[in-house]
């Protein structure tokens, strides 16, 4: 029997059944032999032994106690056998795992050599390298570069999100400035009209034209300032 068979749970269970049957047969043979021996001694003895009722009762009590003791021992043996079976199954599984791992480890050098040959063949068949150095990086630098690009992309996404969040406030500010600019533009239009009227009157002479011209310059300055703010 091979070592693998010795550790097989099925083989262990079969051995236990075999030994149980063997012990049962041996016990029967022993009892039979002892009974025959005592019977023959009683027959051939010069003075046959006679057993009284009291002795039979004592023997029955002793036999009863022996049976109870035997029953307890049988239970202990059954528990012990159960533990041994569990340990046997566990050891058999561990042994099989060790055998499998050993076989795998033994095959690793061959597999590694085959993989190295495959890598070498693929490298020989590889197309000409790209002029871009990033396209021909090894695996680990490529992963580092990928993580860097992902971080840059995340930073850009955050900046876009920040600008989008600030956009409503900017629009509101532009609208407010446009609302403020509207009356100034109206005043500008009115000032231009007044300036035209003042020019026509200035041709005839008068100080009011100078005042209107000064007012128009002030309005144009305010308009330029507001436009600059809107462009910002």
């Amino acid at each position: 029997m091979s070592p693998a068979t010795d550790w097989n749970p099925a083989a262990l269970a079969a051995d236990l059944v075999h030994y149980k049957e063997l012990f049962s047969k041996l016990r029967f043979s022993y009892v039979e032999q002892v009974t025959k021996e005592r019977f023959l001694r009683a027959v051939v003895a010069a003075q046959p032994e006679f057993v009284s009722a009291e002795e039979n009762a004592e023997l029955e009590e002793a036999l009863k106690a022996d049976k109870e003791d035997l029953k307890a021992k049988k239970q202990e043996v059954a528990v012990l056998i159960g533990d041994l079976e569990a340990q046997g199954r566990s050891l058999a599984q561990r042994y099989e795992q060790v055998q499998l791992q050993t076989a795998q480890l033994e095959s690793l050098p061959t597999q590694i050599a085959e993989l190295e040959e495959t890598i070498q063949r693929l490298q020989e068949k590889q197309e000409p390298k790209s002029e871009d150095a990033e396209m021909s990086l090894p695996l680990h630098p490529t992963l580092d570069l990928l993580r860097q690009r992902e971080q840059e992309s995340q930073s850009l996404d955050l900046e876009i999100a920040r600008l989008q969040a600030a956009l409503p406030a900017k629009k509101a500010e532009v609208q407010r400035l446009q609302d403020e600019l509207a009356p100034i533009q109206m005043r500008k239009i009115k000032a231009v009209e007044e300036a035209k009227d003042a020019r026509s009157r200035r041709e005839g002479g008068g100080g009011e034209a100078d005042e209107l011209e000064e007012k128009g310059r002030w309005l144009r300055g305010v308009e330029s300032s507001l436009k600059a703010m809107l462009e910002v």
Side-chain angles (χ1 to χ4, degrees), residues 9-69:
L12 291 174
D15 289 341
L16 287 174
V17 172
H18 169 70
Y19 286 121
K20 283 181 180 179
E21 293 177 353
L22 179 61
F23 290 151
S24 178
K25 292 179 180 178
L26 290 175
R27 183 183 62 182
F28 179 78
S29 299
Y30 173 76
V31 172
E32 184 181 15
Q33 184 67 27
V34 170
T35 303
K36 288 180 180 180
E37 183 179 352
R38 292 185 64 181
F39 178 76
L40 291 175
R41 284 181 180 179
V43 170
V44 300
Q47 294 181 355
E49 295 181 1
F50 296 99
V51 180
S52 63
E54 291 80 5
E55 291 177 344
N56 281 333
E58 292 177 358
L59 289 174
E60 287 179 358
E61 290 295 330
L63 182 60
K64 183 178 180 181
D66 291 340
K67 285 183 177 180
E68 292 178 354
D69 188 20

Side-chain angles (χ1 to χ4, degrees), residues 181-217:
L181 181 61
I184 295 176
Q185 288 179 340
M186 295 296 296
R187 292 174 62 184
K188 174 188 173 184
I189 294 171
K190 184 177 180 181
V192 170
E193 292 177 354
E194 291 178 353
K196 289 180 180 179
D197 293 339
R199 183 180 298 173
S200 60
R201 287 195 297 271
R202 188 173 55 183
E203 291 175 355
E208 185 178 358
D210 295 335
E211 182 180 354
L212 290 174
E213 185 176 357
E214 182 68 22
K215 186 176 181 181
R217 284 197 298 270

Side-chain angles (χ1 to χ4, degrees), residues 10-192:
L12 291 174
D15 289 341
L16 287 174
V17 172
H18 169 70
Y19 286 121
K20 283 181 180 179
E21 293 177 353
L22 179 61
F23 290 151
S24 178
K25 292 179 180 178
L26 290 175
R27 183 183 62 182
F28 179 78
S29 299
Y30 173 76
V31 172
E32 184 181 15
Q33 184 67 27
V34 170
T35 303
K36 288 180 180 180
E37 183 179 352
R38 292 185 64 181
F39 178 76
L40 291 175
R41 284 181 180 179
V43 170
V44 300
Q47 294 181 355
E49 295 181 1
F50 296 99
V51 180
S52 63
E54 291 80 5
E55 291 177 344
N56 281 333
E58 292 177 358
L59 289 174
E60 287 179 358
E61 290 295 330
L63 182 60
K64 183 178 180 181
D66 291 340
K67 285 183 177 180
E68 292 178 354
D69 188 20
L70 180 61
K71 184 177 180 181
K73 289 182 178 180
K74 283 184 177 180
Q75 292 177 352
E76 293 178 359
V77 171
V79 173
L80 180 60
I81 290 174
D83 294 339
L84 291 175
E85 289 178 350
Q87 291 180 4
R89 286 191 294 269
S90 176
L91 290 174
Q93 292 176 356
R94 291 171 59 185
Y95 180 79
E96 290 176 356
Q97 291 177 357
V98 170
Q99 290 292 98
L100 178 60
Q101 292 174 356
T102 302
Q104 291 175 348
L105 290 174
E106 290 176 351
S107 64
L108 277 180
T110 304
Q111 294 178 0
I112 291 173
E114 292 176 354
L115 289 174
E116 289 177 348
E117 292 178 359
T118 303
I119 292 172
Q120 186 175 0
R121 287 197 302 269
L122 292 175
Q123 288 177 347
E124 292 174 355
K125 295 179 181 179
Q126 188 177 8
E127 296 180 356
K129 295 183 178 179
S130 173
E131 295 180 357
D132 189 357
E134 294 182 354
M135 298 300 294
S136 58
L137 289 175
L139 177 59
H140 292 294
T142 301
L143 294 176
D144 295 337
L145 181 62
L146 178 60
R147 284 192 290 268
Q148 180 182 353
R149 293 291 185 266
E150 289 177 350
Q151 291 176 356
E152 293 176 356
S153 176
Q154 291 176 357
S155 300
L156 290 175
D157 291 339
L158 292 175
E159 183 66 18
I160 291 172
R162 186 184 65 80
L163 293 175
Q164 288 178 345
L167 184 60
K170 292 291 184 182
K171 288 182 178 180
E173 182 68 16
V174 170
Q175 185 63 39
R176 184 182 65 80
L177 293 175
Q178 287 178 348
D179 293 340
E180 293 179 359
L181 181 61
I184 295 176
Q185 288 179 340
M186 295 296 296
R187 292 174 62 184
K188 174 188 173 184
I189 294 171
K190 184 177 180 181
V192 170

